[in-house]
Amino acid sequence: MKDFMAVTRTIWIWTILCGLARCQRPASVNIGAVFTFDSVIGKVAKVAVKMAVDDVNADPLVLNGTKLNLIMEDASCNVFLGSIGAFRALEQGVAAIIGPQSSSIAHAISQITDGLQVPQVSYAATDPTLSSLQFPFFFRSIPSDSEQMAAVADLIEFYGWKEVISVYLDDDYGRNGISSLDDELEKRRIRMPHKLPISIKFDLNEITNLLNHSKVFGPRVYVVHVNPDPRLRIFSIAYKLKMMSSEFVWLATDSLSATLDSFTPQNHSSLSVVQGVVALRPHIPDSPKKRSFVSQWTKMQNESTASIGLNHYGFFAYDTIWAVARSIDKFIEIHKNITLSVNNNSGLLNTEAANMLLDKLKVFTGGSDLINILLQSNYTGVSGRFQFSPDRNIVSGGYEIININQTEITRVGYWSNDSGLSVAPPETLKKKGHGRVPQDQKLNKITWPGGMTGRPRGWVIADHARPLRIGVPKRASFVEFVTELPGSHQIQGYCIDIFKKALEFVPYDVPYVFMPFGNGQSNPNYDALVNMVADNVFDAVVGDIAIVTNRTRVADFSQPFTSTGLVIVAPIKYSKSSAWVFLKPFTPDLWCVTAASFIMIGVVIWILEHRINDDFRGPPKRQIVTMCMFSFSTLFKTNQENTLSTLSRMVMIVWLFLLMVITASYTANLTSILTVEQLSSPITGIDSLIATNWPIGYQVGSFAFNYLRQNFNVPKSRLVALGNPEEYARALQLGPSRGGVAAIVDELPYIELFLSTQTDFGIIGQQFTKSSWGFAFRRESPLAFDMSTAILKLSEDGELRRIRERWFCKMGCPEERKSDSEPNRLHLTSFWGLYLTCGVVTLASFLVFLLRTICQYMRYKQRQKDIPSGSREASSSGKCSHVIYSFFNFIDEKEEAIKKMFTHCENPEQQPT
């Protein structure tokens, strides 16, 4: 009994304490909701927020007995009226503002709520700039357009389109959304060259004119970013203008999906005007809460309580009320109450404001704390995970990609920032740990406008109403490449034939018209011609257009169809045989040294062989002939005399090696002299040409002028403009001394054609630049890629070669006439090492022989002194002349005789009496 009384007492005390605590909480809390009641979003939001408030008030676990009061104000799609509605709600003391749905109205109301420190949570304002630091009290419970535009850009990139046209509402929502799309496209190197702004009044004549005018543009991919429009006016007008055909691609942001989802089954017949359109819709994962909410909405529709279909704005509006209610509950638990007070220092409530009855506005002193609580929101609602990022945007669950096919709305895939495009829901891929992998990007089959299921091209080059404007140079010289025939307005030439043949490989029709550029009296300036593509005067330029750096900055070029480059052409002459041409390979000093070497070798070999080799003995006349003939016969390897001395053989080895090198060099140089063209000027290449002060010719309109000026700093006064091959020949024949030029710098194809009829001129040195000819197109033109593919096919099929032969090989193809400078004559300096080696070896051998002979002679004389005086010859005199004479006689003796003389000196008694 005592235990029962104790429990009863505890329960009674707890009940009293709870009642006291409950009494401390406010009985009700006001929140304001500002939106346009009579709109696609407003009709859904009105039902959704009422459902959410009723559900919050019916849940005892939320607000713990405090009633949530909803104050709704109609903004009527007007910034002024929306601001008035916000003031009316704020006058009644609200803890938060829900909405508005319009980004423009949100900008205005955010200024007010910031001043009063009242949090503002919008479920429909998607303008990315609202997340800036300028609006610290603004929250967004729907994904921002910055993320939606990333999804649109990925979709465009996935299908390979390079240019798009945007159709957008000309207000903060439209402009800032398209600006985000432009940024995302730029990251992917995709252009948005045309933007079609539409006024918020949706003027039908304005829309008709804009869309009709856009038909002359090349891109056929349209991105529509406007408010939900139940009348689908933009697409209806496009349908009437026959712009919903297979040539066009229409992409739409989530406003279209919201419109279509809000349709009742009876409205689905109007989907015919949006056949093939692809749109985005925020992805809301399937869950019991979602199914229950959809079921409840359907029931309300059946009961006529809800007059519109449920779209994603309804999900986000419903969850927004719950997020605010939960945050207010936590705020009350901490602060016990919602305190609104007049703040005279706020700068908002001054004397003038009081006169305007604005003194009723109260500042929410705990607004900053409520913001912090809102940032911590983390729960699962009917729209999925409800959580804010640090920049006060809802954490997105990705987007669904839908396709309208007949009367059905088909989901063809998903997009999320983590996984990109996929056919599986983002939450599934996230659980599996799948990241964004380029090769995994995929979507299901899409039916495009016109019933097309393949990938649309997404652009047209031109139509018959506005054909492609192609500029062609009206050349006055070298007309074989491209020009306009006089009097016929017909364009023809080598380059034109290549262009027409390449068009046959382009997989679509390209209407075009040639527009000549130039007066026909002189060649046009090609840089100016290419710049006219960048200035939109021409859509393309076809002709002998060199692909050089400054031109690639303003235009795109096709694959090159011929190689070219700058070369030098100058007068040449052919070497003619003369009686003394054989002397040209060696310089005089080399001839003299070579002749002296022959004589020296003959003398040294004779000296070394004379004492031991009978071939080198005999009468003086014979010895002189032998000495000379032996030396010169080594040139032909027909020596009849053999060498016996080791020293002689060593000398001969070195001499024959020298002779082999000299002979080979002589033969090669003489061959070159007899076969190579000879220059009539000392120019050997671009460096030697630039080093002179002679005038240089160039073709009018060629890039050679700028190239020589910018890369070699050639003064303008040295550059002479020449217009045709006749001027080329005349200027080269005159030469620099008579008012002509020393050489001409031009592109190889022109020079080849020029030389095909000239024999007095030739190409000097090597080609000193590498470039090519191609067709110029506007930047990012899709035709540039297709023409490049076509030119590659022409090259692989040999068609480029055949076109060239038809134009330039009627009388034989122009051969490249290159000419090197006159071969350098061989100088002594080229061989001084060999001659020095041979001389050293020869001199060393001679010295060894001489020293050995002197030693032999001295020993002989010494032996003679040892012989008794009676047996000495009386002629042993000590005179110097006699000694020299005796020495030469000793040398002249054969080696065998010398040995006998030594024997006689050692055994004088054996001599006969």
Side-chain angles (χ1 to χ4, degrees):
M1 187 67 181
K2 292 182 179 179
D3 293 339
F4 174 76
M5 292 298 295
V7 171
T8 303
R9 191 181 302 111
T10 302
I11 294 174
W12 180 74
I13 295 173
W14 178 257
T15 303
I16 293 175
L17 290 175
C18 289
L20 292 174
R22 184 180 298 271
C23 292
Q24 293 178 355
R25 296 175 65 90
S28 63
V29 175
N30 295 334
I31 59 171
V34 180
F35 55 94
T36 301
F37 294 169
D38 188 20
S39 67
V40 172
I41 299 176
K43 290 177 180 179
V44 172
K46 189 173 184 179
V47 177
V49 295
K50 285 183 176 180
M51 287 175 59
V53 170
D54 292 341
D55 291 343
V56 166
N57 289 331
D59 191 338
L61 300 178
V62 182
L63 291 177
N64 199 16
T66 301
K67 183 181 179 182
L68 191 65
N69 292 331
L70 178 64
I71 303 171
M72 294 192 297
E73 296 290 342
D74 190 359
S76 300
C77 287
N78 185 281
V79 174
F80 176 73
L81 295 179
S83 300
I84 295 297
F87 278 123
R88 288 174 179 170
L90 290 168
E91 281 179 349
Q92 301 181 51
V94 295
I97 292 289
I98 308 301
Q101 66 192 58
S102 166
S103 296
S104 299
I105 300 175
H107 275 278
I109 294 179
S110 293
Q111 303 284 352
I112 302 170
T113 55
D114 287 350
L116 297 176
Q117 299 183 25
V118 176
Q120 176 186 354
V121 187
S122 176
Y123 50 84
T126 56
D127 178 4
T129 62
L130 288 167
S131 299
S132 64
L133 298 176
Q134 181 184 1
F135 308 111
F137 285 81
F138 179 84
F139 284 75
R140 193 193 330 262
S141 57
I142 188 172
S144 167
D145 276 341
S146 60
E147 186 155 355
Q148 179 173 209
M149 294 310 176
V152 174
D154 274 354
L155 184 62
I156 294 170
E157 183 183 36
F158 176 75
Y159 284 102
W161 299 312
K162 296 300 180 182
E163 290 186 347
V164 300
I165 298 174
S166 60
V167 181
Y168 64 97
L169 206 61
D170 194 14
D171 62 357
D172 291 336
Y173 160 73
R175 286 190 300 269
N176 294 330
I178 291 300
S179 177
S180 291
L181 177 60
D182 207 0
D183 292 341
E184 293 294 334
L185 292 177
E186 187 175 354
K187 295 176 185 176
R188 297 158 177 80
R189 302 188 68 178
I190 302 172
R191 297 175 62 242
M192 191 193 298
H194 309 288
K195 299 178 181 180
L196 309 181
I198 296 175
S199 67
I200 58 176
K201 296 179 181 179
F202 271 83
D203 183 85
L204 298 184
N205 290 330
E206 176 195 23
I207 297 173
T208 302
N209 292 334
L210 283 174
L211 293 182
N212 203 26
H213 178 67
S214 72
K215 293 167 80 173
V216 303
F217 301 149
R220 286 292 185 266
V221 179
Y222 288 78
V223 178
V224 179
H225 182 57
V226 296
N227 288 332
D229 177 20
R231 294 164 57 187
L232 301 174
R233 282 168 284 187
I234 292 177
F235 296 101
S236 298
I237 293 173
Y239 184 81
K240 292 177 182 178
L241 295 175
K242 299 182 179 180
M243 295 176 67
M244 301 302 291
S245 64
S246 58
E247 284 187 357
F248 295 84
V249 175
W250 290 89
L251 307 177
T253 53
D254 59 357
S255 59
L256 177 62
S257 61
T259 301
L260 300 181
D261 289 339
S262 65
F263 282 176
T264 60
Q266 293 77 15
N267 299 129
H268 277 204
S269 58
S270 60
L271 293 181
S272 58
V273 298
V274 287
Q275 287 297 305
V277 177
V278 175
L280 296 183
R281 176 167 60 193
H283 173 56
I284 299 175
D286 188 30
S287 66
K289 287 187 177 181
K290 175 184 176 181
R291 290 193 294 269
S292 175
F293 184 70
V294 172
S295 176
Q296 188 176 357
W297 192 280
T298 304
K299 181 181 177 181
M300 294 175 65
Q301 279 189 287
N302 294 333
E303 296 173 352
S304 300
T305 308
S307 61
I308 192 170
L310 176 61
N311 57 41
H312 57 269
Y313 290 107
F315 290 97
F316 292 120
Y318 182 86
D319 280 347
T320 299
I321 297 293
W322 273 91
V324 170
R326 290 172 184 271
S327 298
I328 291 175
D329 181 53
K330 291 182 180 180
F331 180 88
I332 293 175
E333 287 182 2
I334 298 172
H335 297 277
K336 308 305 182 185
N337 204 347
I338 301 292
T339 304
L340 301 172
S341 62
V342 176
N343 187 350
N344 294 325
N345 296 324
S346 66
L348 177 66
L349 307 179
N350 49 31
T351 306
E352 294 181 3
N355 292 334
M356 295 174 62
L357 302 178
L358 297 180
D359 56 336
K360 294 182 179 180
L361 299 177
K362 307 295 189 222
V363 175
F364 185 8
T365 55
S368 298
D369 293 334
L370 184 55
I371 282 179
N372 294 331
I373 295 173
L374 272 170
L375 280 172
Q376 298 173 13
S377 299
N378 189 355
Y379 73 98
T380 300
V382 296
S383 62
R385 200 69 191 163
F386 195 97
Q387 184 178 4
F388 288 109
S389 61
D391 60 354
R392 305 176 308 282
N393 283 314
I394 194 72
V395 176
S396 173
Y399 285 86
E400 296 176 0
I401 299 171
I402 62 172
N403 177 219
I404 295 88
N405 184 13
Q406 296 181 359
T407 58
E408 295 183 358
I409 300 174
T410 306
R411 183 174 57 225
V412 295
Y414 301 88
W415 179 92
S416 72
N417 197 33
D418 296 328
S419 57
L421 298 171
S422 66
V423 294
E427 61 271 15
T428 302
L429 296 177
K430 188 174 183 180
K431 289 178 181 178
K432 295 180 179 180
H434 283 266
R436 183 189 286 253
V437 181
Q439 54 267 31
D440 290 343
Q441 304 295 292
K442 63 177 71 174
L443 292 174
N444 291 323
K445 185 176 70 174
I446 292 177
T447 301
W448 302 97
M452 181 177 175
T453 55
R455 171 191 171 273
R457 192 167 67 242
W459 52 267
V460 294
I461 293 301
D463 54 31
H464 292 283
R466 181 192 175 279
L468 198 69
R469 301 163 300 172
I470 299 180
V472 292
K474 189 176 182 180
R475 294 191 61 88
S477 63
F478 299 108
V479 295
E480 294 85 352
F481 293 103
V482 59
T483 196
E484 181 185 35
L485 294 180
S488 66
H489 301 294
Q490 181 181 356
I491 307 298
Q492 72 171 23
Y494 165 67
C495 302
I496 299 300
D497 282 1
I498 291 177
F499 175 75
K500 291 180 177 178
K501 195 66 178 178
L503 280 181
E504 296 178 8
F505 290 86
V506 174
Y508 46 87
D509 182 43
V510 182
Y512 63 88
V513 58
F514 287 129
M515 303 177 68
F517 176 75
N519 55 20
Q521 305 300 316
S522 62
N523 294 332
N525 186 297
Y526 279 40
D527 286 339
L529 178 58
V530 175
N531 283 331
M532 296 182 77
V533 176
D535 295 338
N536 201 27
V537 177
F538 298 134
D539 298 305
V541 170
V542 170
D544 47 339
I545 312 297
I547 305 173
V548 293
T549 304
N550 64 312
R551 295 174 185 172
T552 59
R553 295 192 181 104
V554 298
D556 283 349
F557 282 84
S558 68
Q559 175 78 16
F561 58 84
T562 190
S563 297
T564 181
L566 293 179
V567 295
I568 301 171
V569 61
I572 62 170
K573 63 180 180 181
Y574 290 94
S575 58
K576 298 179 180 180
S577 299
S578 65
W580 305 102
V581 68
F582 67 90
L583 295 175
K584 287 187 176 182
F586 287 172
T587 56
D589 56 347
L590 184 56
W591 277 118
C592 292
V593 172
T594 304
S597 299
F598 275 100
I599 296 173
M600 180 190 71
I601 292 299
V603 171
V604 170
I605 294 297
W606 178 83
I607 291 174
L608 297 177
E609 293 290 324
H610 177 68
R611 298 182 67 194
I612 61 175
N613 194 338
D614 290 338
D615 291 339
F616 290 88
R617 298 187 68 81
K621 182 178 179 181
R622 178 190 172 193
Q623 294 186 47
I624 292 174
V625 171
T626 300
M627 180 173 54
C628 294
M629 291 303 296
F630 177 84
S631 177
F632 286 102
S633 64
T634 57
L635 184 62
F636 310 102
K637 300 179 179 63
T638 59
N639 311 64
Q640 295 182 358
E641 299 83 6
N642 293 322
T643 54
L644 303 178
S645 169
T646 303
L647 293 174
S648 298
R649 292 175 178 174
M650 185 169 60
V651 171
M652 284 301 296
I653 290 173
V654 178
W655 169 249
L656 290 175
F657 177 74
L658 169 65
L659 201 60
M660 178 188 69
V661 175
I662 291 295
T663 303
S665 301
Y666 175 86
T667 304
N669 209 27
L670 180 60
T671 302
S672 179
I673 290 173
L674 293 175
T675 58
V676 177
E677 299 166 349
Q678 302 300 301
L679 299 178
S680 60
S681 70
I683 299 171
T684 60
I686 185 63
D687 293 330
S688 61
L689 177 61
I690 299 302
T692 67
N693 290 320
W694 292 335
I696 304 171
Y698 70 94
Q699 184 183 169
V700 173
S702 171
F703 75 94
F705 176 82
N706 289 333
Y707 186 86
L708 293 173
R709 291 275 294 145
Q710 296 171 6
N711 292 275
F712 293 102
N713 297 317
V714 178
K716 187 177 180 180
S717 59
R718 285 185 59 190
L719 300 176
V720 179
L722 302 173
N724 53 57
E726 292 74 20
E727 292 184 18
Y728 279 26
R730 185 165 54 253
L732 289 172
Q733 289 169 351
L734 290 174
S737 60
R738 292 184 293 170
V741 296
I744 294 173
V745 174
D746 203 353
E747 294 180 73
L748 182 60
Y750 303 124
I751 296 303
E752 285 183 339
L753 191 58
F754 169 67
L755 294 179
S756 65
T757 59
Q758 299 289 334
T759 58
D760 296 332
F761 314 106
I763 296 174
I764 309 303
Q766 302 294 323
Q767 181 176 310
F768 60 90
T769 67
K770 295 288 185 181
S771 60
S772 303
W773 286 353
F775 304 137
F777 298 90
R778 293 173 59 189
R779 301 290 285 182
E780 305 294 338
S781 171
L783 184 58
F785 175 80
D786 290 337
M787 284 296 290
S788 295
T789 304
I791 290 172
L792 287 175
K793 291 179 180 178
L794 292 179
S795 178
E796 293 168 358
D797 295 344
E799 189 63 31
L800 288 181
R801 175 181 53 80
R802 289 190 286 271
I803 294 175
R804 181 178 183 273
E805 290 174 353
R806 286 200 299 269
W807 277 97
F808 305 116
C809 297
K810 297 174 184 177
M811 302 296 293
C813 292
E815 296 294 333
E816 187 177 1
R817 302 182 175 215
K818 294 186 178 180
S819 174
D820 296 325
S821 60
E822 179 180 353
N824 292 325
R825 304 179 71 184
L826 299 174
H827 295 268
L828 176 61
T829 54
S830 303
F831 305 101
W832 70 268
L834 281 175
Y835 278 105
L836 179 62
T837 302
C838 185
V840 169
V841 172
T842 302
L843 181 60
S845 300
F846 175 73
L847 291 177
V848 170
F849 169 79
L850 184 61
L851 289 174
R852 191 181 68 179
T853 304
I854 291 175
C855 293
Q856 197 176 37
Y857 177 74
M858 292 178 64
R859 190 175 60 177
Y860 169 72
K861 285 297 184 180
Q862 184 64 37
R863 296 292 177 86
Q864 279 189 332
K865 290 180 182 180
D866 295 340
I867 299 174
S869 59
S871 60
R872 294 180 188 172
E873 297 181 1
S875 61
S876 301
S877 173
K879 294 182 179 179
C880 180
S881 60
H882 182 74
V883 172
I884 295 173
Y885 180 78
S886 175
F887 177 71
F888 277 105
N889 284 337
F890 179 81
I891 294 175
D892 189 53
E893 294 289 342
K894 290 188 68 175
E895 188 71 24
E896 295 178 359
I898 297 299
K899 291 180 179 180
K900 290 180 179 180
M901 290 172 63
F902 275 106
T903 303
H904 173 70
C905 293
E906 293 175 358
N907 304 295
E909 66 279 357
Q910 296 180 3
Q911 291 186 9
T913 58

